[in-house]
Amino acid sequence: MISKNESFSDALSAEKKVVFVAKKDLPALFDSLWTNGFRILGPTLGEGAIVYEELNGVGDLPIGWTDEQEGATYRLKKRDDEALFGYNVGPHTWKKFLFPPKHRLWSAEASTNGLEITEEKQVIQKFAFIGVRACELKAILIQDKVFLGGEHVDPVYHARREDALLIAVNCTQAGKTCFCVSMDAGPRAESGFDLCLTEVLKEGEHYFIVEIGSAQGAEIMANVPHSNETREAEKAIQTITAKTAKQMGRVMDTENIQSLLQDNFDHPRWDDVASRCLTCANCTMACPTCFCSTVEDVTDITGDHAERWRQWDSCFTLDFTYMNHGHARTSAQSRYRQWMTHKLSAWFDQFGTSGCVGCGRCITWCPVAIDITEEVSAIRENQTAAKPTSS
Amino acid sequence: MSESLANPLLPAPYRVLRNQRNTHDVFTLDVEPVKKGNSPLFSPGQFNMLYIFGKGDAAISISGDPTKEQPLRHTIRRAGVVTQALEQVKPGGVLGIRGPFGVPWPVKEAEGQDVLLVAGGIGLAPLRPAMYTLLANRDKYGRIALFYGARTPEDLLYLSDLEQWRGRFDLQVCVSVDTAKRNWMGDVGVVTKLIAKASFDPSNTVALVCGPEIMMRFSVQELKKNEIKSGNIFLSMERNMKCAVGFCGHCQYGPHFICKDGPVFRYDQVQSLLGKREV
C-alpha cells in the first residue's frame, strides 16, 4: 500500500514487527489475502521462464525451480530443494500490472451535438504482489515518482497502485546479471513493503521470517499462524542477504555517474555499442522503471465511435522522436545513448534518483548481450571525449 | 500523493467558432468550451493538446490575447495527419482539448526591461500572446522590438496585427523574408540580421525567441554578439509529444521534459544541448 498519513507504528503497537511462519502455513497467507479481497499475483512457471501471473495457490509458485542467467541467456533449472523463492528476477516486471502494456484511456462518440468523451473507469480488484524483490520494490517506488509524484497524477497507475499490497521477498541468492548492491537497491528489502519474507531452508526446516511493514500487512498476518519468537531473526536476515550481496554477478561503479554520462555525449563508445545494438527495445520492455508510452487513436467501422489506447513505447524506436520535419534521433548511437544517459543520469535531474535498480534484466534479455555495466566501465575508463565540467 | 486527481489525459469538448485562413498552409481556429463556462486562463507561451475525432492530437501553442475575454485561439500550420484534419474543421465542429500546459514566457519577470521578440515562421504564434501582454502593459516595459522572419511575403502571419504594430511609435517591428518578388519593399534575408537594427540596452534586455531550432541557435549567437546575457534569452523548444504532462517520455531533451519543464527554457538551461546532434 502507498503509505497513508496513518502512523502504522502505532497500529502495530500490539504486534511484533517480525514473526516466523512455517512453510506449511503459507497457504493461510494466501487465504488471508483472498479474504481481504486481494487478487494474488506472483512468480510462476510460464513461457519457459519464471513470469508474474495470477496465483491460485502456493502450488503455483515455481517450487524447486531456479534460473541461470547471463548476458542474452536465461535457463530454468531444477533445484535440489523445495525452495519457493530460490531464483532471481525473470522477464516480467510488476509494471505490467501497475501500468498495463496496453490499455484504453477513453472512448469518444461523435454525436449530432459534436463529441462526447467518456473516461475509462478504473475498476480494479486490488492487487497483492507476492515475491517482490528488493530491486523491484525500489523500481516501484521510482515509478511512483514518475506517475504520482508530479503536478499531475496518472489515473491508470494510481488506481492500480493505490491499494496494491506489496509482499517482498529477500533474495537468498544472486544471479550472474545482478548488481543491485551497486545501485543501493538490494538485496535486502529495506522499506516500502507491507510484508517481507525471508525464506529459510536449514537442517530439514523450511520456514519464513516475516517482517511486517505496515498496518495492512499486520492485518493480513493476523490470520496466518505464526510464532512470535523474534530472537535471532534480524541476524538471520542479515546473514542470508549478506551472502547474497557477495554473489552479485555484475558491478557498476556509480561514482559521479550523472556527470560522467553528461560529459561524454560524444564518446566513441556510443559508436561501438551501436554496432552491436539491434534497437529492438527489449531492454526497455524488460526494465522495471522504463515508463515511456505512446497512444493510438482508433475508430470503429461506423466511424462514430473512437477510442484512445495507450501502450508501452521505447526510446529505441525511430518513431519515438518523430516530428513533421524529421526524427530527432535517427542513429542507433543516439538512441542507445538516450536510453542509458536517461537511465543513469537524467533520471537524477528529473526524479532525484537513479533510474536503474541493478536488476540485470536489460543484460539478460538483450539478444546480443549488451551489458550496461560494461558500457559504463568502457566510458569511465577512456574518457578521451570528456571535457572538464568546471570550465 | 498529490491531491489533484483530475485526469490530465482526458480532453474536454470545444466547439469551433471560426476557422480562418492565414496563409496557404496556416489557419487559425477559435474555439470555446461546449459545456458552459469560460475558456481556461492561459499564460503567453503555453500550449494545448488538440484532439480531432479518431485522428489523434497535436500540441498547438495558444496564440490569442490573454488580456482579453475572447475565444481560445490556435494558429496551426498544416503538417501532419492531425493538423490536416484540423484544417478541414468547420464552424460548429467539435474538438477535444487538454491544457493549457507548459512553462510560459517570462513576461512578468521582464517588466522594467527592454524586450526583444524574435520569431521565425509559425514561431510568431506562441509569441503573439506575449506581445499582446506587453502592449496591454506598455508603460511597464522599456523598448519593445519584434523581429519576424518568414519564407515569403505570402507566408507572413497576422498581417492586420503587424500593420497595427508597425503604426505605433512605441514599438519597433522589423520583418524579413527569405525570398520575395520585386514588389516587396522590406528586408530580404535571415531574421537574425535584423537584430543589429534594433536599439536596446543589452544589460537590461530580455529576448524571447521562437522558431525552427536552427533559427533559434543563430538568433542566440546574434543576441549574444549584442551582449545580451544568456540568462535573459528564452527559447521555446519543440519535440514529439503524446501526453503533455511528463508521463509518456517522448519529449525528453537531455534532462528536460519539453512539456512540463518547457516549452519555454532559459537559454542557459539548454545551452549545452542546442548545438548537439540527435539529443
Side-chain angles (χ1 to χ4, degrees), chain A residues 302-317:
Chain A
T302 67
D304 292 334
H305 176 80
E307 298 182 348
R308 169 163 295 176
W309 287 76
R310 183 166 63 172
Q311 61 190 57
W312 291 358
D313 199 3
S314 171
C315 54
F316 279 92
T317 69

mmCIF file with all atom_site columns, all heavy atoms in Angstrom, chain A residues 302-317:
data_model
loop_
_atom_site.group_PDB
_atom_site.id
_atom_site.type_symbol
_atom_site.label_atom_id
_atom_site.label_alt_id
_atom_site.label_comp_id
_atom_site.label_asym_id
_atom_site.label_entity_id
_atom_site.label_seq_id
_atom_site.pdbx_PDB_ins_code
_atom_site.Cartn_x
_atom_site.Cartn_y
_atom_site.Cartn_z
_atom_site.occupancy
_atom_site.B_iso_or_equiv
_atom_site.pdbx_formal_charge
_atom_site.auth_seq_id
_atom_site.auth_comp_id
_atom_site.auth_asym_id
_atom_site.auth_atom_id
_atom_site.pdbx_PDB_model_num
ATOM 1   N N   . THR A 1 302 ? -18.201 2.103  -38.058 1.00 0.00 ? 302 THR A N   1
ATOM 2   C CA  . THR A 1 302 ? -19.247 3.107  -38.292 1.00 0.00 ? 302 THR A CA  1
ATOM 3   C C   . THR A 1 302 ? -18.649 4.501  -38.381 1.00 0.00 ? 302 THR A C   1
ATOM 4   O O   . THR A 1 302 ? -19.244 5.415  -38.934 1.00 0.00 ? 302 THR A O   1
ATOM 5   C CB  . THR A 1 302 ? -20.281 3.126  -37.141 1.00 0.00 ? 302 THR A CB  1
ATOM 6   O OG1 . THR A 1 302 ? -19.635 3.603  -35.949 1.00 0.00 ? 302 THR A OG1 1
ATOM 7   C CG2 . THR A 1 302 ? -20.864 1.753  -36.901 1.00 0.00 ? 302 THR A CG2 1
ATOM 8   N N   . GLY A 1 303 ? -17.480 4.665  -37.819 1.00 0.00 ? 303 GLY A N   1
ATOM 9   C CA  . GLY A 1 303 ? -16.848 5.981  -37.820 1.00 0.00 ? 303 GLY A CA  1
ATOM 10  C C   . GLY A 1 303 ? -17.389 6.908  -36.751 1.00 0.00 ? 303 GLY A C   1
ATOM 11  O O   . GLY A 1 303 ? -16.952 8.044  -36.635 1.00 0.00 ? 303 GLY A O   1
ATOM 12  N N   . ASP A 1 304 ? -18.348 6.422  -35.947 1.00 0.00 ? 304 ASP A N   1
ATOM 13  C CA  . ASP A 1 304 ? -18.943 7.282  -34.917 1.00 0.00 ? 304 ASP A CA  1
ATOM 14  C C   . ASP A 1 304 ? -18.347 7.032  -33.534 1.00 0.00 ? 304 ASP A C   1
ATOM 15  O O   . ASP A 1 304 ? -18.638 7.757  -32.588 1.00 0.00 ? 304 ASP A O   1
ATOM 16  C CB  . ASP A 1 304 ? -20.465 7.061  -34.830 1.00 0.00 ? 304 ASP A CB  1
ATOM 17  C CG  . ASP A 1 304 ? -21.165 7.570  -36.080 1.00 0.00 ? 304 ASP A CG  1
ATOM 18  O OD1 . ASP A 1 304 ? -20.607 8.477  -36.728 1.00 0.00 ? 304 ASP A OD1 1
ATOM 19  O OD2 . ASP A 1 304 ? -22.251 7.058  -36.392 1.00 0.00 ? 304 ASP A OD2 1
ATOM 20  N N   . HIS A 1 305 ? -17.564 5.976  -33.433 1.00 0.00 ? 305 HIS A N   1
ATOM 21  C CA  . HIS A 1 305 ? -17.011 5.599  -32.127 1.00 0.00 ? 305 HIS A CA  1
ATOM 22  C C   . HIS A 1 305 ? -15.488 5.578  -32.235 1.00 0.00 ? 305 HIS A C   1
ATOM 23  O O   . HIS A 1 305 ? -14.939 4.920  -33.122 1.00 0.00 ? 305 HIS A O   1
ATOM 24  C CB  . HIS A 1 305 ? -17.546 4.223  -31.728 1.00 0.00 ? 305 HIS A CB  1
ATOM 25  C CG  . HIS A 1 305 ? -16.964 3.700  -30.453 1.00 0.00 ? 305 HIS A CG  1
ATOM 26  N ND1 . HIS A 1 305 ? -17.423 4.109  -29.220 1.00 0.00 ? 305 HIS A ND1 1
ATOM 27  C CD2 . HIS A 1 305 ? -15.948 2.834  -30.226 1.00 0.00 ? 305 HIS A CD2 1
ATOM 28  C CE1 . HIS A 1 305 ? -16.701 3.497  -28.277 1.00 0.00 ? 305 HIS A CE1 1
ATOM 29  N NE2 . HIS A 1 305 ? -15.814 2.716  -28.866 1.00 0.00 ? 305 HIS A NE2 1
ATOM 30  N N   . ALA A 1 306 ? -14.846 6.332  -31.383 1.00 0.00 ? 306 ALA A N   1
ATOM 31  C CA  . ALA A 1 306 ? -13.377 6.372  -31.402 1.00 0.00 ? 306 ALA A CA  1
ATOM 32  C C   . ALA A 1 306 ? -12.853 6.046  -30.007 1.00 0.00 ? 306 ALA A C   1
ATOM 33  O O   . ALA A 1 306 ? -13.557 6.220  -29.009 1.00 0.00 ? 306 ALA A O   1
ATOM 34  C CB  . ALA A 1 306 ? -12.889 7.749  -31.837 1.00 0.00 ? 306 ALA A CB  1
ATOM 35  N N   . GLU A 1 307 ? -11.652 5.542  -29.966 1.00 0.00 ? 307 GLU A N   1
ATOM 36  C CA  . GLU A 1 307 ? -11.033 5.219  -28.675 1.00 0.00 ? 307 GLU A CA  1
ATOM 37  C C   . GLU A 1 307 ? -9.589  5.675  -28.700 1.00 0.00 ? 307 GLU A C   1
ATOM 38  O O   . GLU A 1 307 ? -8.947  5.692  -29.746 1.00 0.00 ? 307 GLU A O   1
ATOM 39  C CB  . GLU A 1 307 ? -11.095 3.709  -28.412 1.00 0.00 ? 307 GLU A CB  1
ATOM 40  C CG  . GLU A 1 307 ? -12.514 3.198  -28.319 1.00 0.00 ? 307 GLU A CG  1
ATOM 41  C CD  . GLU A 1 307 ? -12.574 1.705  -28.005 1.00 0.00 ? 307 GLU A CD  1
ATOM 42  O OE1 . GLU A 1 307 ? -11.530 1.030  -28.092 1.00 0.00 ? 307 GLU A OE1 1
ATOM 43  O OE2 . GLU A 1 307 ? -13.683 1.244  -27.681 1.00 0.00 ? 307 GLU A OE2 1
ATOM 44  N N   . ARG A 1 308 ? -9.080  5.993  -27.526 1.00 0.00 ? 308 ARG A N   1
ATOM 45  C CA  . ARG A 1 308 ? -7.641  6.226  -27.397 1.00 0.00 ? 308 ARG A CA  1
ATOM 46  C C   . ARG A 1 308 ? -7.055  5.141  -26.506 1.00 0.00 ? 308 ARG A C   1
ATOM 47  O O   . ARG A 1 308 ? -7.492  4.936  -25.375 1.00 0.00 ? 308 ARG A O   1
ATOM 48  C CB  . ARG A 1 308 ? -7.339  7.602  -26.804 1.00 0.00 ? 308 ARG A CB  1
ATOM 49  C CG  . ARG A 1 308 ? -5.851  7.720  -26.429 1.00 0.00 ? 308 ARG A CG  1
ATOM 50  C CD  . ARG A 1 308 ? -5.415  9.125  -26.236 1.00 0.00 ? 308 ARG A CD  1
ATOM 51  N NE  . ARG A 1 308 ? -5.511  9.835  -27.522 1.00 0.00 ? 308 ARG A NE  1
ATOM 52  C CZ  . ARG A 1 308 ? -5.275  11.126 -27.669 1.00 0.00 ? 308 ARG A CZ  1
ATOM 53  N NH1 . ARG A 1 308 ? -4.917  11.838 -26.645 1.00 0.00 ? 308 ARG A NH1 1
ATOM 54  N NH2 . ARG A 1 308 ? -5.380  11.687 -28.850 1.00 0.00 ? 308 ARG A NH2 1
ATOM 55  N N   . TRP A 1 309 ? -6.061  4.454  -27.060 1.00 0.00 ? 309 TRP A N   1
ATOM 56  C CA  . TRP A 1 309 ? -5.345  3.409  -26.336 1.00 0.00 ? 309 TRP A CA  1
ATOM 57  C C   . TRP A 1 309 ? -3.926  3.877  -26.065 1.00 0.00 ? 309 TRP A C   1
ATOM 58  O O   . TRP A 1 309 ? -3.320  4.520  -26.928 1.00 0.00 ? 309 TRP A O   1
ATOM 59  C CB  . TRP A 1 309 ? -5.325  2.115  -27.157 1.00 0.00 ? 309 TRP A CB  1
ATOM 60  C CG  . TRP A 1 309 ? -6.656  1.438  -27.184 1.00 0.00 ? 309 TRP A CG  1
ATOM 61  C CD1 . TRP A 1 309 ? -7.742  1.819  -27.913 1.00 0.00 ? 309 TRP A CD1 1
ATOM 62  C CD2 . TRP A 1 309 ? -7.047  0.283  -26.429 1.00 0.00 ? 309 TRP A CD2 1
ATOM 63  N NE1 . TRP A 1 309 ? -8.802  0.961  -27.669 1.00 0.00 ? 309 TRP A NE1 1
ATOM 64  C CE2 . TRP A 1 309 ? -8.399  0.010  -26.765 1.00 0.00 ? 309 TRP A CE2 1
ATOM 65  C CE3 . TRP A 1 309 ? -6.392  -0.552 -25.515 1.00 0.00 ? 309 TRP A CE3 1
ATOM 66  C CZ2 . TRP A 1 309 ? -9.102  -1.056 -26.209 1.00 0.00 ? 309 TRP A CZ2 1
ATOM 67  C CZ3 . TRP A 1 309 ? -7.089  -1.620 -24.971 1.00 0.00 ? 309 TRP A CZ3 1
ATOM 68  C CH2 . TRP A 1 309 ? -8.430  -1.862 -25.307 1.00 0.00 ? 309 TRP A CH2 1
ATOM 69  N N   . ARG A 1 310 ? -3.443  3.520  -24.908 1.00 0.00 ? 310 ARG A N   1
ATOM 70  C CA  . ARG A 1 310 ? -2.056  3.834  -24.587 1.00 0.00 ? 310 ARG A CA  1
ATOM 71  C C   . ARG A 1 310 ? -1.292  2.526  -24.482 1.00 0.00 ? 310 ARG A C   1
ATOM 72  O O   . ARG A 1 310 ? -1.815  1.545  -23.949 1.00 0.00 ? 310 ARG A O   1
ATOM 73  C CB  . ARG A 1 310 ? -1.998  4.595  -23.258 1.00 0.00 ? 310 ARG A CB  1
ATOM 74  C CG  . ARG A 1 310 ? -0.598  5.027  -22.868 1.00 0.00 ? 310 ARG A CG  1
ATOM 75  C CD  . ARG A 1 310 ? -0.602  6.061  -21.753 1.00 0.00 ? 310 ARG A CD  1
ATOM 76  N NE  . ARG A 1 310 ? -1.164  5.553  -20.515 1.00 0.00 ? 310 ARG A NE  1
ATOM 77  C CZ  . ARG A 1 310 ? -1.133  6.217  -19.357 1.00 0.00 ? 310 ARG A CZ  1
ATOM 78  N NH1 . ARG A 1 310 ? -0.592  7.423  -19.302 1.00 0.00 ? 310 ARG A NH1 1
ATOM 79  N NH2 . ARG A 1 310 ? -1.670  5.702  -18.271 1.00 0.00 ? 310 ARG A NH2 1
ATOM 80  N N   . GLN A 1 311 ? -0.087  2.495  -24.988 1.00 0.00 ? 311 GLN A N   1
ATOM 81  C CA  . GLN A 1 311 ? 0.718   1.281  -24.873 1.00 0.00 ? 311 GLN A CA  1
ATOM 82  C C   . GLN A 1 311 ? 2.180   1.624  -24.640 1.00 0.00 ? 311 GLN A C   1
ATOM 83  O O   . GLN A 1 311 ? 2.617   2.735  -24.926 1.00 0.00 ? 311 GLN A O   1
ATOM 84  C CB  . GLN A 1 311 ? 0.550   0.398  -26.100 1.00 0.00 ? 311 GLN A CB  1
ATOM 85  C CG  . GLN A 1 311 ? 0.993   1.044  -27.398 1.00 0.00 ? 311 GLN A CG  1
ATOM 86  C CD  . GLN A 1 311 ? 0.575   0.216  -28.598 1.00 0.00 ? 311 GLN A CD  1
ATOM 87  O OE1 . GLN A 1 311 ? -0.602  -0.079 -28.791 1.00 0.00 ? 311 GLN A OE1 1
ATOM 88  N NE2 . GLN A 1 311 ? 1.545   -0.168 -29.402 1.00 0.00 ? 311 GLN A NE2 1
ATOM 89  N N   . TRP A 1 312 ? 2.897   0.657  -24.077 1.00 0.00 ? 312 TRP A N   1
ATOM 90  C CA  . TRP A 1 312 ? 4.324   0.860  -23.830 1.00 0.00 ? 312 TRP A CA  1
ATOM 91  C C   . TRP A 1 312 ? 5.018   1.259  -25.125 1.00 0.00 ? 312 TRP A C   1
ATOM 92  O O   . TRP A 1 312 ? 4.724   0.733  -26.194 1.00 0.00 ? 312 TRP A O   1
ATOM 93  C CB  . TRP A 1 312 ? 4.967   -0.426 -23.303 1.00 0.00 ? 312 TRP A CB  1
ATOM 94  C CG  . TRP A 1 312 ? 4.553   -0.808 -21.930 1.00 0.00 ? 312 TRP A CG  1
ATOM 95  C CD1 . TRP A 1 312 ? 3.704   -0.128 -21.092 1.00 0.00 ? 312 TRP A CD1 1
ATOM 96  C CD2 . TRP A 1 312 ? 4.968   -1.989 -21.217 1.00 0.00 ? 312 TRP A CD2 1
ATOM 97  N NE1 . TRP A 1 312 ? 3.576   -0.823 -19.910 1.00 0.00 ? 312 TRP A NE1 1
ATOM 98  C CE2 . TRP A 1 312 ? 4.330   -1.946 -19.962 1.00 0.00 ? 312 TRP A CE2 1
ATOM 99  C CE3 . TRP A 1 312 ? 5.804   -3.058 -21.515 1.00 0.00 ? 312 TRP A CE3 1
ATOM 100 C CZ2 . TRP A 1 312 ? 4.514   -2.954 -19.006 1.00 0.00 ? 312 TRP A CZ2 1
ATOM 101 C CZ3 . TRP A 1 312 ? 5.982   -4.056 -20.581 1.00 0.00 ? 312 TRP A CZ3 1
ATOM 102 C CH2 . TRP A 1 312 ? 5.347   -4.000 -19.329 1.00 0.00 ? 312 TRP A CH2 1
ATOM 103 N N   . ASP A 1 313 ? 5.960   2.159  -24.998 1.00 0.00 ? 313 ASP A N   1
ATOM 104 C CA  . ASP A 1 313 ? 6.756   2.571  -26.145 1.00 0.00 ? 313 ASP A CA  1
ATOM 105 C C   . ASP A 1 313 ? 8.213   2.544  -25.707 1.00 0.00 ? 313 ASP A C   1
ATOM 106 O O   . ASP A 1 313 ? 8.513   2.348  -24.521 1.00 0.00 ? 313 ASP A O   1
ATOM 107 C CB  . ASP A 1 313 ? 6.332   3.971  -26.610 1.00 0.00 ? 313 ASP A CB  1
ATOM 108 C CG  . ASP A 1 313 ? 6.766   4.257  -28.039 1.00 0.00 ? 313 ASP A CG  1
ATOM 109 O OD1 . ASP A 1 313 ? 7.337   3.361  -28.691 1.00 0.00 ? 313 ASP A OD1 1
ATOM 110 O OD2 . ASP A 1 313 ? 6.544   5.384  -28.510 1.00 0.00 ? 313 ASP A OD2 1
ATOM 111 N N   . SER A 1 314 ? 9.102   2.743  -26.630 1.00 0.00 ? 314 SER A N   1
ATOM 112 C CA  . SER A 1 314 ? 10.521  2.669  -26.307 1.00 0.00 ? 314 SER A CA  1
ATOM 113 C C   . SER A 1 314 ? 11.284  3.743  -27.052 1.00 0.00 ? 314 SER A C   1
ATOM 114 O O   . SER A 1 314 ? 11.035  3.990  -28.239 1.00 0.00 ? 314 SER A O   1
ATOM 115 C CB  . SER A 1 314 ? 11.063  1.289  -26.700 1.00 0.00 ? 314 SER A CB  1
ATOM 116 O OG  . SER A 1 314 ? 12.469  1.301  -26.590 1.00 0.00 ? 314 SER A OG  1
ATOM 117 N N   . CYS A 1 315 ? 12.254  4.335  -26.338 1.00 0.00 ? 315 CYS A N   1
ATOM 118 C CA  . CYS A 1 315 ? 13.110  5.353  -26.964 1.00 0.00 ? 315 CYS A CA  1
ATOM 119 C C   . CYS A 1 315 ? 14.033  4.733  -28.014 1.00 0.00 ? 315 CYS A C   1
ATOM 120 O O   . CYS A 1 315 ? 14.764  5.454  -28.693 1.00 0.00 ? 315 CYS A O   1
ATOM 121 C CB  . CYS A 1 315 ? 13.922  6.080  -25.892 1.00 0.00 ? 315 CYS A CB  1
ATOM 122 S SG  . CYS A 1 315 ? 14.879  4.986  -24.826 1.00 0.00 ? 315 CYS A SG  1
ATOM 123 N N   . PHE A 1 316 ? 14.004  3.403  -28.151 1.00 0.00 ? 316 PHE A N   1
ATOM 124 C CA  . PHE A 1 316 ? 14.812  2.755  -29.186 1.00 0.00 ? 316 PHE A CA  1
ATOM 125 C C   . PHE A 1 316 ? 14.134  2.749  -30.556 1.00 0.00 ? 316 PHE A C   1
ATOM 126 O O   . PHE A 1 316 ? 14.747  2.410  -31.551 1.00 0.00 ? 316 PHE A O   1
ATOM 127 C CB  . PHE A 1 316 ? 15.166  1.319  -28.787 1.00 0.00 ? 316 PHE A CB  1
ATOM 128 C CG  . PHE A 1 316 ? 16.333  1.267  -27.831 1.00 0.00 ? 316 PHE A CG  1
ATOM 129 C CD1 . PHE A 1 316 ? 16.129  1.265  -26.471 1.00 0.00 ? 316 PHE A CD1 1
ATOM 130 C CD2 . PHE A 1 316 ? 17.635  1.257  -28.304 1.00 0.00 ? 316 PHE A CD2 1
ATOM 131 C CE1 . PHE A 1 316 ? 17.202  1.249  -25.581 1.00 0.00 ? 316 PHE A CE1 1
ATOM 132 C CE2 . PHE A 1 316 ? 18.708  1.241  -27.436 1.00 0.00 ? 316 PHE A CE2 1
ATOM 133 C CZ  . PHE A 1 316 ? 18.486  1.236  -26.068 1.00 0.00 ? 316 PHE A CZ  1
ATOM 134 N N   . THR A 1 317 ? 12.839  3.101  -30.599 1.00 0.00 ? 317 THR A N   1
ATOM 135 C CA  . THR A 1 317 ? 12.183  3.116  -31.902 1.00 0.00 ? 317 THR A CA  1
ATOM 136 C C   . THR A 1 317 ? 12.446  4.449  -32.603 1.00 0.00 ? 317 THR A C   1
ATOM 137 O O   . THR A 1 317 ? 12.601  5.489  -31.964 1.00 0.00 ? 317 THR A O   1
ATOM 138 C CB  . THR A 1 317 ? 10.657  2.923  -31.784 1.00 0.00 ? 317 THR A CB  1
ATOM 139 O OG1 . THR A 1 317 ? 10.094  4.087  -31.171 1.00 0.00 ? 317 THR A OG1 1
ATOM 140 C CG2 . THR A 1 317 ? 10.319  1.700  -30.944 1.00 0.00 ? 317 THR A CG2 1
#
